Amino acid sequence: MKKVKHLYNRVNREELRSRVYSDDKTTRVTLSFYRYYHISDPGEFRDRLYAEWAEMGVLGRTYISWEGINAQISVPKENFDQFKEELYSIDWLNNVRLNIAVEAEAPSFYKLTLKVRDKIVADGLNDDTFDVTNKGIHLNAADFNKLADDPNTIIVDMRNHYEAEVGHFKDALTPDVDTFREALHVVEEELKDQKDKNILMYCTGGIRCEKASAYYKHKGFKNVYQLNGGIIEYARQVKEQGLENKYIGKNFVFDDRLGERISEDVIARCHQCGEPCDDHTNCANDGCHLLFIQCENCRQKYEGCCSEECNEVLHWDEEKRLEWRRNNPLQTTDKYIKGRSEKLTYKKKLNSKLKP
């Protein structure tokens, strides 16, 4: 393998995407992992990982901080054993659980990004007030199902609204929130009078629940549990062990696939016409890039855009599009959040009906 000279990507986004989507020879393993651990020098650790992973052809997104690592990546299958061996050679990552994707046929990532951040999960909390390693009890799929059937249990989805919209566990509390930091406080308020109940939490791969469980224990909740490995690991265990699948719909994932099907149920609707659909996409107008749900008919009608306005912008010349983008800083407004926009016709109509 060729030795890397640079510790960052130097190729533009479109070329990288083209390389991945045109490569029909490399089979990739898409996976995620995390671990809370106090890293003394996150920058040095980041550079070390980048050099090793770039040589092996690893792609994906990884955050490193003083509190640990959070990785969502894809590895060439031919290099997977080497990747695993090198990862496990790091003492505090030895035998860390690797959550292998449920559906990995479509390309998931097209570049390698490793960033040093203040936290591996943004939570808005002062972490000095509680011990993040004093986590709740981890449950496998079988034990999760058993506790879920207990009438003294409250199942809590610690993900964001657009994730739960396409899939969630049966009878789960799904907070209408845009961020994890919102979810922490919304759930705490919702359950403040039920601290003796079994609080059974889940998220995509387990990392958000890990921190949330420690936070709720700190706040006085007595029986705090989390789904070990999250929805990804649950789906694998259910399939391998022939267990009842209590998850309905899709599992939203933060890569180019935008979703893995866990059950055949379609519980969401197209944000433009209201037809049953659970396929997320990003608006084809790069100046917008809104994440929303779009059916095939609307995809053809709007050419992958979220509105007639964006569809019109899509056909302008580059200079005019850049000018439009400068004068429409949509990403910075409160009304422009994933899955929420006045431009989404069906979603706008539905929200107006829900208002008192």
Side-chain angles (χ1 to χ4, degrees):
M1 288 178 285
K2 188 177 179 181
K3 204 78 173 176
V4 295
K5 297 180 179 179
H6 304 281
L7 297 177
Y8 55 89
N9 172 59
R10 305 183 75 196
V11 183
N12 72 66
R13 175 190 179 111
E14 292 308 315
E15 183 176 342
L16 289 169
R17 182 185 290 270
S18 177
R19 288 180 186 178
V20 172
Y21 277 83
S22 61
D23 182 4
D24 56 2
K25 296 180 180 179
T26 303
T27 302
R28 289 185 164 271
V29 179
T30 297
L31 61 96
S32 64
F33 70 89
Y34 72 90
R35 178 154 287 177
Y36 286 100
Y37 181 83
H38 293 300
I39 301 176
S40 58
D41 190 342
E44 186 278 333
F45 183 68
R46 177 264 175 206
D47 290 348
R48 170 189 166 184
L49 280 190
Y50 192 99
E52 292 177 355
W53 289 4
E55 282 190 35
M56 288 184 280
V58 175
L59 303 175
R61 182 190 314 110
T62 298
Y63 300 133
I64 297 166
S65 84
W66 63 269
E67 68 173 6
I69 185 171
N70 179 15
Q72 299 166 25
I73 58 177
S74 75
V75 182
K77 191 172 183 178
E78 62 184 16
N79 296 333
F80 182 73
D81 288 341
Q82 180 191 351
F83 165 82
K84 192 173 179 179
E85 181 180 349
E86 291 192 13
L87 186 70
Y88 285 179
S89 71
I90 302 169
D91 288 345
W92 59 276
L93 287 174
N94 187 26
N95 291 321
V96 66
R97 184 188 58 252
L98 303 179
N99 290 323
I100 307 298
V102 177
E103 297 178 352
E105 291 81 4
S108 52
F109 298 102
Y110 52 89
K111 66 178 179 178
L112 177 60
T113 303
L114 281 83
K115 294 183 178 181
V116 174
R117 288 192 164 181
D118 290 336
K119 298 182 180 183
I120 55 175
V121 177
D123 54 31
L125 299 174
N126 176 4
D127 293 286
D128 293 336
T129 63
F130 72 101
D131 181 4
V132 71
T133 64
N134 183 24
K135 52 186 179 290
I137 299 172
H138 285 195
L139 299 179
N140 59 26
D143 290 336
F144 179 94
N145 282 358
K146 184 177 179 180
L147 194 60
D149 289 335
D150 188 327
N152 197 46
T153 295
I154 300 174
I155 306 173
V156 182
D157 192 325
M158 291 306 301
R159 302 173 302 159
N160 305 327
H161 75 93
Y162 56 89
E163 299 173 78
E165 184 175 6
V166 295
H168 54 75
F169 279 99
K170 298 172 184 176
D171 302 319
L173 171 65
T174 56
D176 185 23
V177 296
D178 299 306
T179 64
F180 176 59
R181 68 173 62 189
E182 283 182 72
L184 284 172
H185 300 296
V186 168
V187 170
E188 181 184 0
E189 179 64 22
E190 182 83 13
L191 303 181
K192 64 182 179 181
D193 297 324
Q194 304 183 73
K195 290 188 175 182
D196 290 328
K197 295 278 191 177
N198 298 320
I199 307 303
L200 180 55
M201 295 182 296
Y202 69 91
C203 57
T204 308
I207 187 169
R208 285 175 279 187
C209 290
E210 190 105 345
K211 178 166 282 189
S213 67
Y215 176 74
Y216 292 134
K217 287 181 69 176
H218 172 69
K219 287 292 185 174
F221 289 86
K222 295 178 173 58
N223 307 304
V224 182
Y225 302 85
Q226 68 178 94
L227 178 58
N228 192 20
I231 301 163
I232 297 173
E233 179 65 11
Y234 177 87
R236 186 187 68 79
Q237 291 181 18
V238 162
K239 184 176 181 180
E240 288 183 355
Q241 300 172 29
L243 303 173
E244 176 191 358
N245 178 20
K246 291 182 177 291
Y247 190 93
I248 53 175
K250 270 187 176 180
N251 176 32
F252 182 93
V253 292
F254 293 88
D255 58 54
D256 269 21
R257 296 170 300 148
L258 295 178
E260 300 176 321
R261 184 155 298 287
I262 308 300
S263 83
E264 295 305 314
D265 306 274
V266 177
I267 66 172
R269 291 184 177 274
C270 173
H271 287 170
Q272 292 173 307
C273 72
E275 285 298 306
C277 177
D278 56 10
D279 294 329
H280 273 101
T281 189
N282 287 106
C283 180
N285 171 17
D286 285 337
C288 173
H289 207 61
L290 174 71
L291 177 74
F292 69 107
I293 297 174
Q294 185 178 52
C295 69
E296 179 60 25
N297 287 338
C298 287
R299 187 189 70 79
Q300 294 184 19
K301 177 180 178 181
Y302 296 100
E303 298 181 87
C305 292
C306 68
S307 64
E308 292 181 356
E309 177 189 14
C310 280
N311 189 205
E312 182 181 348
V313 173
L314 190 67
H315 295 281
W316 292 349
D317 60 52
E318 184 176 0
E319 184 177 346
K320 191 175 180 180
R321 288 201 307 272
L322 288 173
E323 180 64 24
W324 180 88
R325 187 169 184 171
R326 283 192 292 269
N327 295 327
N328 292 269
L330 295 174
Q331 291 87 339
T332 63
T333 67
D334 291 337
K335 293 183 179 179
Y336 189 88
I337 303 173
K338 293 175 180 177
R340 305 188 198 271
S341 172
E342 291 295 305
K343 297 191 295 181
L344 299 173
T345 50
Y346 173 77
K347 197 73 180 290
K348 179 181 178 181
K349 185 187 301 182
L350 180 63
N351 288 342
S352 66
K353 289 181 180 179
L354 295 176
K355 291 178 181 179

